[in-house]
Amino acid sequence: MSSPLAQPDSALLGRPRSYGAIVWGQLRKRPSAMISLAIILLVALAAMLAPFIAGEVPIRWVENGKASWPIFRYLTNAEYVAMLAFVLAGALPLTVRLVRRRAERVGASPLMRAIAIHAGIWIVLAAGLLALREPERRYGFYLERAGEAQSAWFPLIPTPRYPGYESLVHRDEPPSWQHPLGTGRLGDDILLRILYGGRTALTIGFVAVGISACIGVVLGSLSGYFLRWVDLAIMRLAEIFMFIPQLVLIIIILAVIPSSVDPLWAVVFVIGVTGWTGTYRLMRAELLRIRSEDYMTAARALGLPTWRLLLRHAIPNGLAPILVGATFGIAGAVFIEVSLAFLNLVQTPSWGELLTDGRQHLETWWVWGSAGAAIFVTVLVYNLLGEAIRDAIDPKLKI
Amino acid sequence: MKTYILKRLLLMIPTIVGITLLTYLIVRLAPGDPIEAMIRNQSGNIDPKAMKEDAQKIRERLGLVDYHVVRDRVFGPESRWQEKPELKPSGAVFTAADVADKVTSAVVGYGRWVGRMATGDFGESIKYRTSSGSRNPLALIAERIPVTATLNLIAEALIFFTAIPVGLAAARHQGKWFDRTSSFVMLAFWSVPTVLAGTVLLGFLGKGGLGWNGFPIAGLHSFGYEKFSWGEYLADTLWHSVLPVVCLTYGGLAYLAKLGRASLLENLRADYVRTARAKGLPESRVVYHHALRNSLLPMITVMVLTLPGLIGGSVIVETIFSIQGTGLLLVNAAEAYDLALIMTETLLYGVLTLVFLLIGDLLYAWADPRVRYE
């Protein structure tokens, strides 16, 4: 039986709106935020579905009267895992609705429960996929035999993933219907490189910022909650990372990391480990404010253990500014990747690499122009979204 | 004030120790053997014996003598660490004693390195010499600091003197078209990577490019600048530094203009501004004498805190424009595994920023008596 006291309250005000719902309501009023969000989703989708947009593996292939769907054999496990994450994230509202009743009865957040359920499903499926499935890797197979098929549905832009010598005929071609963004020095399709570069950018952005946000939140909340010598010590640690320029730190770390480490993950790790000071300072300031709030005093008076005070009451209430910082951080990580590619410290397909390639031959403007536009638009929309979230949360926030 | 300065100075010590420790640990804990990689990178093909001697020499110089890496088998069994690690009875490759051994050797190595630096020995650059032939990293860096410092100083001054008026105008006309346009333009500036800006500027304004062909594309001086008169030299240098300075400026400008706007808005809404207006002061006096002054103070700290970003930016800018400054030196040193140079330069950057922040904070405390160390 529900408490009778809850009745008139909800009858008067309707369903109580959560903090997240209020912020979302604010965000929806801003066209810049909505446009940015749309572009962000579009870029993510395009990066994820890259093999369907440009590539050489047909989606459907009919030979000798037998139809097959080769692309699904070629999609890598990582691609499946990413798609799964996307689908599960899209289905979140549905699960929220399903678990709302039960969650509210025990006083838990339906959203958190739904996220936990989906994360569980995702982990199980992803682990199974990685353990059991072996993707096909014979590139350069279908495009040459296109004439032999009775019917073949190629991606929107049929182009070899790893161009060979024969593609040199088509090198440095300006944009055309066949190659919407033109071709590069080796006859490589620029759109294909933009799509795969987008994957690198998003991986670096999200994973690196995830790492640095975790470090920053943990150290910042310890620092802001315990103060005294804990704060003093962690602050000195943060100062070290603040005073050595991040790019310099990254350069020296990458200089000594052996080449056997995958360059992409080396960069992700390095950006994550060096970039946490911003989050740290935000979280520390939040904790300084929160620790003297009434609800903290109440929780302390209840005799809750410190870990519970921190994990259940202090940290969740300080996370909003971290979201803003992380959104800006993604833009910053993309920037760093561009610098590193330019300095030739990372060899991985990325927008920075494309921009650096294009720099050598300015007359093929479509090469550096596409890369530059991709970087600019992506960074701009993340910055716009960050500003919008900040204004929705607290315009006075100093980020 | 005296106690404040003293406390600040005392707190600097652990940070400086931390900066040295971090620099050392990066080189030491990196999963590969940087020295081996350095020698391989430097001279693809020399006989193993010479390589071994070189490696030993470099190790000694850097205080990394006890640097053992299991995978380092290139030079044959040099020590017990290079042999295939035996499986210990417990099944672990390393026992607690091994770990303790490693930690001790790291501490000893760090101590030696710091001790050397204390006596002024920063090692030797393996790649570069100064114009007088010295391989001392400090001398090498000192030779190039004027270039980087000049560019950054011009950039900082430009940033300050353009960002403040823009921020001021935006704050005074909050929500009007100037505010909205400038906000968007600043955010757009903030979103342009330096590499792209440099490429476009060079490509369309530089010599041999596609556009105007006017600006020089590399270095800070024309050929034969040694014979220039004083005035010519200055004009030549300034002309060369236009594009690099633009590249260094626009990002910081966007950042500071945004912050300046926010800070001014806060002050314009403050009680003392309302009082000033109620007294009947003219609007210009309210804005320039009351609000602006109070918003400028925190900007000092912000300017100093943007310094590391500016240094990072100058690494890129100097590489794009082939300017022989400290940034390009660092990039080249990293490419050549020039460890002594890398480590010294990183240390120097860290300590310089620290010192500038201290000066900034002291100025702030001197200008604003409300600032007290808690």
Side-chain angles (χ1 to χ4, degrees):
Chain A
M1 228 183 93
S2 65
S3 148
L5 276 175
Q7 278 325 102
D9 201 32
S10 52
L12 272 175
L13 301 167
R15 192 194 294 283
R17 296 179 76 204
S18 69
Y19 182 59
I22 295 170
V23 170
W24 175 242
Q26 285 281 320
L27 273 184
R28 282 183 63 167
K29 283 188 213 146
R30 288 162 206 273
S32 72
M34 286 299 109
I35 295 171
S36 309
L37 212 55
I39 296 179
I40 286 170
L41 278 177
L42 211 67
V43 170
L45 265 178
M48 200 171 65
L49 300 177
F52 291 92
I53 300 171
E56 58 179 33
V57 182
I59 298 160
R60 188 165 179 271
W61 180 264
V62 184
E63 198 179 339
N64 301 330
K66 272 202 325 198
S68 59
W69 301 81
I71 199 161
F72 295 102
R73 279 188 284 119
Y74 274 82
L75 287 179
T76 62
N77 286 334
E79 277 163 344
Y80 273 116
V81 169
M83 285 180 205
L84 195 64
F86 226 80
V87 171
L88 282 175
L92 259 184
L94 215 74
T95 319
V96 169
R97 204 162 291 173
L98 279 177
V99 297
R100 171 159 278 146
R101 270 275 182 77
R102 262 183 80 92
E104 275 171 1
R105 204 160 52 214
V106 294
S109 154
L111 182 66
M112 285 300 146
R113 292 217 149 182
I115 289 177
I117 292 170
H118 279 205
I121 298 175
W122 183 71
I123 289 172
V124 169
L125 288 180
L129 209 64
L130 289 174
L132 300 175
R133 189 174 166 275
E134 192 67 51
E136 184 78 66
R137 281 169 198 270
R138 282 186 305 163
Y139 289 103
F141 178 67
Y142 288 101
L143 211 52
E144 295 150 22
R145 298 171 59 228
E148 296 169 27
Q150 280 122 17
S151 148
W153 302 351
F154 275 104
L156 285 179
I157 301 133
T159 177
R161 173 96 184 266
Y162 303 102
Y165 286 115
E166 68 278 9
S167 304
L168 287 174
V169 185
H170 298 292
R171 69 183 210 181
D172 286 343
E173 277 177 5
S176 60
W177 282 114
Q178 204 165 9
H179 300 286
L181 294 180
T183 61
R185 282 265 110 177
L186 300 171
D188 42 341
D189 183 68
I190 299 301
L191 181 63
L192 184 101
R193 289 181 68 181
I194 290 280
L195 289 173
Y196 282 90
R199 291 183 166 184
T200 308
L202 293 184
T203 312
I204 291 179
F206 277 88
V207 184
V209 168
I211 295 175
S212 60
C214 286
I215 302 177
V217 165
V218 170
L219 292 183
S221 43
L222 290 180
S223 196
Y225 186 81
F226 291 108
L227 297 177
R228 295 168 185 278
W229 67 266
V230 179
D231 182 37
L232 215 61
I234 302 181
M235 197 64 179
R236 299 285 87 69
L237 185 69
E239 276 182 352
I240 299 166
F241 283 90
M242 265 192 282
F243 293 160
I244 305 180
Q246 198 191 355
L247 194 63
V248 171
L249 208 52
I250 291 175
I251 288 173
I252 65 168
I253 297 178
L254 285 181
V256 293
I257 282 187
S259 47
S260 56
V261 178
D262 183 340
L264 176 65
W265 294 111
V267 172
V268 165
F269 166 78
V270 167
I271 297 178
V273 167
T274 55
W276 52 271
T277 52
T279 320
Y280 164 76
R281 277 191 299 170
L282 279 176
M283 197 65 198
R284 181 176 172 273
E286 279 298 297
L287 256 285
L288 284 178
R289 176 181 66 77
I290 288 169
R291 73 194 301 275
S292 52
E293 296 266 349
D294 285 345
Y295 60 79
M296 284 301 282
T297 319
R300 229 173 275 136
L302 281 173
L304 293 183
T306 312
W307 63 266
R308 206 178 154 83
L309 281 177
L310 269 173
L311 284 182
R312 286 303 294 267
H313 300 273
I315 294 180
N317 278 303
L319 283 182
I322 305 304
L323 184 67
V324 183
T327 315
F328 286 129
I330 292 171
V334 174
F335 260 24
I336 294 175
E337 185 275 314
V338 174
S339 304
L340 294 178
F342 170 69
L343 296 175
N344 208 9
L345 287 166
V346 210
Q347 282 85 28
T348 188
S350 69
W351 292 338
E353 183 208 31
L354 195 56
L355 181 60
T356 311
D357 279 4
R359 263 174 54 77
Q360 318 290 332
H361 312 283
L362 279 174
E363 59 290 346
T364 56
W365 51 267
W366 50 91
V367 180
W368 60 264
S370 319
I375 298 164
F376 174 68
V377 170
T378 309
V379 171
L380 182 66
V381 291
Y382 276 101
N383 281 337
L384 275 172
L385 185 68
E387 290 228 316
I389 302 179
R390 183 198 54 205
D391 290 346
I393 289 173
D394 173 13
K396 278 199 218 129
L397 214 59
K398 288 207 174 73
I399 302 178
Chain B
M1 191 71 187
K2 252 184 206 160
T3 26
Y4 176 73
I5 297 177
L6 194 70
K7 274 184 179 165
R8 287 302 310 255
L9 284 176
L10 279 179
L11 277 181
M12 269 174 72
I13 296 170
T15 311
I16 290 180
V17 171
I19 290 174
T20 58
L21 198 61
L22 182 72
T23 316
Y24 180 80
L25 284 182
I26 287 172
V27 174
R28 172 133 198 144
L29 290 185
D33 184 341
I35 307 207
E36 172 204 314
M38 169 169 93
I39 295 168
R40 238 186 335 213
N41 257 32
Q42 275 291 293
S43 42
N45 191 15
I46 46 172
D47 72 303
K49 210 179 149 203
M51 252 169 129
K52 195 171 151 184
E53 279 166 13
D54 272 4
Q56 198 52 32
K57 247 173 39 196
I58 294 164
R59 286 208 174 100
E60 270 169 25
R61 191 154 291 144
L62 292 176
L64 293 172
V65 186
D66 313 305
Y67 195 164
H68 309 297
V69 179
V70 178
R71 40 186 288 151
D72 175 12
R73 302 206 194 103
V74 175
F75 310 118
E78 198 177 301
S79 73
R80 64 204 156 96
W81 290 97
Q82 263 98 43
E83 285 153 26
K84 213 171 180 180
E86 279 172 48
L87 280 186
K88 298 281 151 55
S90 60
V93 178
F94 297 108
T95 60
D98 292 338
V99 174
D101 210 22
K102 276 201 147 184
V103 172
T104 333
S105 73
V107 172
V108 170
Y110 173 71
R112 276 189 205 153
W113 181 57
V114 171
R116 275 211 186 75
M117 284 196 300
T119 61
D121 177 9
F122 284 79
E124 281 183 6
S125 162
I126 54 165
K127 186 168 182 189
Y128 289 100
R129 289 171 192 273
T130 59
S131 44
S132 57
S134 157
R135 283 181 177 279
N136 183 355
L138 267 190
L140 268 165
I141 297 165
E143 205 176 55
R144 289 163 184 239
I145 275 185
V147 175
T148 309
T150 316
L151 286 182
N152 279 327
L153 275 181
I154 301 177
E156 280 267 15
L158 265 179
I159 288 173
F160 193 77
F161 288 112
T162 36
I164 299 302
V166 171
L168 182 70
R172 286 186 72 176
H173 307 283
Q174 194 199 358
K176 303 272 174 50
W177 78 266
F178 181 82
D179 182 27
R180 281 195 268 165
T181 329
S182 76
S183 290
F184 185 78
V185 170
M186 288 302 147
L187 206 65
F189 273 179
W190 184 235
S191 311
V192 177
T194 316
V195 182
L196 180 64
T199 304
V200 171
L201 286 176
L202 263 186
F204 290 96
L205 299 177
K207 282 196 182 102
L210 304 172
W212 180 52
N213 263 338
F215 285 104
I217 55 168
L220 270 190
H221 309 290
S222 306
F223 280 118
Y225 70 94
E226 296 90 345
K227 289 179 199 132
F228 283 177
S229 71
W230 193 82
E232 275 174 334
Y233 178 81
L234 192 71
D236 181 57
T237 312
L238 278 180
W239 186 237
H240 275 77
S241 47
V242 170
L243 294 185
V245 165
V246 169
C247 281
L248 278 174
T249 306
Y250 71 87
L253 164 68
Y255 182 66
L256 205 70
K258 249 171 44 168
L259 274 184
R261 175 182 173 275
S263 162
L264 264 161
L265 274 181
E266 211 178 308
N267 277 305
L268 281 175
R269 288 200 203 102
D271 288 342
Y272 69 86
V273 166
R274 193 178 307 146
T275 314
R277 283 199 179 120
K279 279 196 302 189
L281 286 182
E283 183 65 16
S284 66
R285 200 173 163 79
V286 173
V287 173
Y288 292 106
H289 269 247
H290 295 257
L292 184 62
R293 280 193 178 186
N294 273 300
S295 338
L296 281 184
L297 266 182
M299 288 290 155
I300 300 173
T301 320
V302 173
M303 293 287 283
V304 178
L305 280 179
T306 56
L307 206 65
L310 213 56
I311 292 174
S314 66
V315 171
I316 303 293
V317 171
E318 283 170 15
T319 315
I320 296 179
F321 292 93
S322 321
I323 294 168
Q324 296 296 325
T326 49
L328 188 57
L329 187 70
L330 181 81
V331 173
N332 291 336
E335 273 169 5
Y337 277 87
D338 199 336
L339 288 183
L341 198 49
I342 293 176
M343 290 166 96
T344 314
E345 192 155 355
T346 313
L347 274 185
L348 209 67
Y349 276 149
V351 174
L352 276 184
T353 317
L354 189 70
V355 171
F356 277 119
L357 191 74
L358 181 75
I359 296 172
D361 278 4
L362 290 184
L363 281 178
Y364 192 107
W366 171 72
D368 186 348
R370 287 171 302 180
V371 176
R372 282 287 168 268
Y373 188 80
E374 327 121 38

